Amino acid sequence: MTNSNKGKVVLIGAGPGDIGLLTLNGKGWLQKADVVLYDHLVNPDMLRFTQKSTEIIYVGKKEGVASIEQEQINHLLVSKAREEKIVVRLKGGDPFVFGRGGEEIQAVHAAGIAFVIVPGVTSVTGVAAYAGIPLTHRDLSSTLSIITGSNEKKQGDIHIDWEKIAARSGTLVFLMGARKLPLIAEKLMRFGKSPDTPIAVVQWGTTARQKTWIGTLGTIVEISAKDKISPPALTIIGEVVNLKPVIEWYEHLPLFGKTIVVTRKGDQAESMIDRLRELGAEPFFFPVIETIAPDDWGPLDNALNNLSQYQGLIFTSVNGVRFFSERLKSIDQDIRELKGLRVYTIGPKTAEAVRDLGIRVDVVPENFVAESLIECFENIKGQRFLLPRASVAREILPEQLRKMGAIVDVAPAYQTILPTPQVDELSKRLEAGSIDIITFTSSSTVKNFLALTGKNLLPEIKKAKIACIGPVTQKTAEDAGLNVAIVPEQYTVASLLDAIEATARRGANEQ
Ligand code: SAH
């Protein structure tokens, strides 16, 4: 990295919640960051874009109270940047819309530190879009006012020129006004706004917790009274609110409101997360498996140097294929050495990974479990098979093939380890009952998940719906005391997601 990148502060707007609303620039800087300071309203899920070595510092509120003073944050930004680091300051929404971004940059500038500013999707526009309320409309509103609901001067009052605000004709948007709703409604009416003016309050917009209250200035306090609306909430006032029934879309997505835990590991999780977001769910990324090189390459190298002695090559996972081909390359061999070998795989993804290498797959069984693959072998007495796979795996496949008279060389091509994902955040959400579904895509995801969360959380985990990719994973989950609610007919991630969607649609119809 060039020196010009060192010792700077990058102020990034993280958007209002949905991780998809982070900009490409923002993501790019997160990937490069040495240090990240993030706030209460930032979706912590996006911290997964950082590197393993990145220092992550939470500077947001704890139970509504600032956990660290603004002065201290400014000091941290400056001192970390002076250590020649790329310091990312990650803020909810856009940093220049009631985000104190200006103040922090003033401090950074005063210290002579270089900075970059990456705007974000402000909650004003992001939350309105996810609520289905256009902020302006040629027939209804041609101005937009963005107002703070919390600029407290005197006790309980807000320092706002209510008379002027109430006289404005267009759309009014209040931020930080959740607890001040009665005051806002009352002042606007007192200074002349009609009690019939439509109003929407949207809490936790763009996330699984999005909730909207609709009414008029005259009715909204009563309508929302029993719910005691807490922050963050955006208040939108004006005729445009009436368009919501036509334009709302996010709340109609099949998995809207569902928080779904994804336990797959990093690179394989991405497509699953994208699909879940498309279906309206909020994915909670909790990778429990990480694959690394095996402790000993010896057995695999040995096999790779003597490939001509084999009649068959068996892959049971995408990782097996990946590590196998990388090892082949790194010891200066290539796929021509595989000539004449029959290639067997379990599952279409594994087969696809093999085909991507330019190698034809001879056998993919109908069901994607080892037992099914075994049925595909006939007359293999005396034949030699190579099985590159995880260091620890089920023994059924080699055992059965050996019983049929074959010679099977099991060669560790990778091993799985437990990473340290955000256990605290998950515990908090489990305890709050806000985790709806936990997905498991292999037996080891089940075991590792339970090992990471520990016994204490088991009762909370049992309250969530458990979705397993296939019967083997299901059995592991059931043996551990979990009730498995969802298992697809085909044992693929795509089918698992279809099954989750179908369950959600059924649930919605029953209500
Ligand atoms: N810089 C931020 C605003 C920070 S002030 C931005 O551009 O959005 C915090 C206020 O933003 C909250 O009190 C709330 O009014 C609003 N807000 C932020 N995220 C929100 C969300 N997901 N849903 C509703 N309101 C949100």
Side-chain angles (χ1 to χ4, degrees):
M1 201 170 293
T2 59
N3 268 343
S4 65
N5 248 344
K6 285 294 174 186
K8 72 164 66 168
V9 169
V10 186
L11 177 64
I12 300 178
D18 181 355
I19 198 165
L21 298 179
L22 175 70
T23 66
L24 289 177
N25 273 358
K27 184 178 175 187
W29 280 112
L30 276 177
Q31 286 166 335
K32 280 189 273 194
D34 297 307
V35 186
V36 176
L37 280 78
Y38 75 103
D39 271 353
H40 169 58
L41 286 178
V42 168
N43 182 346
D45 221 12
M46 62 181 66
L47 298 172
R48 72 169 190 271
F49 298 134
T50 60
Q51 297 164 40
K52 281 206 182 80
S53 56
T54 308
E55 183 186 1
I56 310 275
I57 308 175
Y58 177 70
V59 294
K61 291 176 187 158
K62 284 202 180 106
E63 276 106 46
V65 187
S67 66
I68 143 168
E69 297 289 328
Q70 188 63 51
E71 285 279 299
Q72 255 177 299
I73 297 177
N74 296 355
H75 176 75
L76 263 174
L77 289 173
V78 169
S79 61
K80 294 282 180 192
R82 286 210 171 118
E83 290 168 21
E84 305 233 300
K85 289 181 169 160
I86 298 179
V87 184
V88 161
R89 176 69 175 109
L90 197 56
K91 284 176 166 287
D94 181 275
F96 282 1
V97 179
F98 299 125
R100 298 198 179 184
E103 291 164 52
E104 292 184 15
I105 291 301
Q106 280 173 309
V108 167
H109 175 258
I113 306 260
F115 58 86
V116 174
I117 296 162
V118 181
V121 174
T122 174
S123 59
V124 178
T125 54
V127 171
Y130 277 52
I133 302 173
L135 294 170
T136 65
H137 187 284
R138 281 200 302 170
D139 301 331
L140 302 171
S141 166
S142 57
T143 64
L144 168 64
S145 306
I146 300 171
I147 308 154
T148 170
S150 101
N151 196 1
E152 287 178 52
K153 287 284 164 186
K154 286 190 271 95
Q155 263 187 343
D157 211 347
I158 307 177
H159 181 69
I160 291 174
D161 189 337
W162 289 105
E163 198 168 354
K164 285 207 178 115
I165 296 278
R168 290 187 191 171
S169 56
T171 309
L172 307 181
V173 174
F174 283 87
L175 286 88
M176 298 175 277
R179 299 213 166 92
K180 294 275 161 52
L181 188 61
L183 179 92
I184 293 169
E186 187 256 319
K187 292 271 191 194
L188 289 177
M189 287 188 290
R190 181 173 343 143
F191 287 100
K193 273 236 176 283
S194 160
D196 296 331
T197 313
I199 173 170
V201 181
V202 190
Q203 186 187 41
W204 282 115
T206 82
T207 75
R209 287 184 273 177
Q210 176 169 316
K211 188 166 178 184
T212 310
W213 293 264
I214 301 274
T216 62
L217 285 180
T219 61
I220 192 71
V221 172
E222 202 189 317
I223 285 171
S224 61
K226 66 170 183 354
D227 298 311
K228 288 209 181 72
I229 304 172
S230 60
L234 196 79
T235 305
I236 305 172
I237 301 167
E239 297 300 321
V240 287
V241 169
N242 288 338
L243 294 173
K244 180 170 165 66
V246 175
I247 296 180
E248 66 184 10
W249 59 279
Y250 183 56
E251 289 118 322
H252 298 304
L253 294 175
L255 295 184
F256 167 70
K258 304 263 184 278
T259 300
I260 302 184
V261 177
V262 174
T263 52
R264 305 201 96 184
K265 105 186 157 64
D267 43 357
Q268 293 178 339
E270 231 34 72
S271 61
M272 189 165 168
I273 287 175
D274 282 349
R275 180 72 187 134
L276 283 173
R277 288 191 33 249
E278 223 171 79
L279 292 167
E282 184 179 334
F284 184 92
F285 183 52
F286 190 82
V288 296
I289 288 185
E290 202 164 325
T291 45
I292 56 169
D295 287 335
D296 179 13
W297 283 114
L300 186 61
D301 286 356
N302 209 355
L304 293 177
N305 286 318
N306 297 288
L307 279 171
S308 58
Q309 63 181 335
Y310 293 101
Q311 279 73 47
L313 178 58
I314 307 168
F315 290 110
T316 53
S317 70
V318 173
N319 281 317
V321 178
R322 218 184 73 208
F323 279 88
F324 174 88
S325 79
E326 273 163 24
R327 192 63 191 166
L328 199 65
K329 256 186 267 167
S330 66
I331 62 167
D332 226 16
Q333 299 266 22
D334 74 32
I335 56 167
R336 283 172 296 184
E337 313 289 337
L338 302 179
K339 197 163 179 292
L341 260 75
R342 282 174 74 75
V343 178
Y344 302 79
T345 65
I346 298 181
K349 283 278 176 213
T350 313
E352 204 179 295
V354 172
R355 287 190 201 106
D356 283 347
L357 297 173
I359 301 170
R360 199 187 68 212
V361 179
D362 300 283
V363 182
V364 190
E366 227 167 79
N367 279 320
F368 312 140
V369 290
E371 285 79 351
S372 244
L373 182 61
I374 292 162
E375 289 166 12
C376 300
F377 289 91
E378 272 174 7
N379 304 326
I380 53 169
K381 202 165 164 47
Q383 292 193 4
R384 194 170 194 121
F385 292 89
L386 175 59
L387 176 55
R389 60 166 204 187
S391 308
V392 180
R394 297 169 70 213
E395 288 308 324
I396 174 154
L397 187 60
E399 269 171 14
Q400 291 295 321
L401 296 183
R402 282 180 193 132
K403 268 193 200 148
M404 294 163 81
I407 305 150
V408 184
D409 292 338
V410 173
Y414 63 95
Q415 58 182 325
T416 53
I417 54 163
L418 280 183
T420 43
Q422 305 219 6
V423 179
D424 289 351
E425 178 68 24
L426 182 74
S427 316
K428 233 182 5 195
R429 295 209 192 186
L430 279 168
E431 274 156 15
S434 64
I435 296 288
D436 299 285
I437 300 173
I438 304 172
T439 60
F440 295 114
T441 50
S442 67
S443 288
S444 26
T445 56
V446 178
K447 287 183 198 150
N448 291 5
F449 180 84
L450 294 174
L452 280 165
T453 48
K455 276 211 176 70
N456 289 351
L457 280 175
L458 199 60
E460 319 293 339
I461 292 168
K462 283 183 177 166
K463 285 183 205 149
K465 273 205 170 86
I466 306 293
C468 290
I469 195 163
V472 176
T473 309
Q474 175 184 14
K475 174 141 197 323
T476 308
E478 284 172 352
D479 288 349
L482 301 179
N483 271 329
V484 178
I486 301 169
V487 184
E489 269 167 32
Q490 275 213 345
Y491 315 143
T492 64
V493 169
S495 309
L496 178 65
L497 295 177
D498 287 347
I500 290 173
E501 183 187 347
T503 311
R505 284 191 196 274
R506 264 202 311 276
N509 289 340
E510 277 160 19
Q511 269 168 21

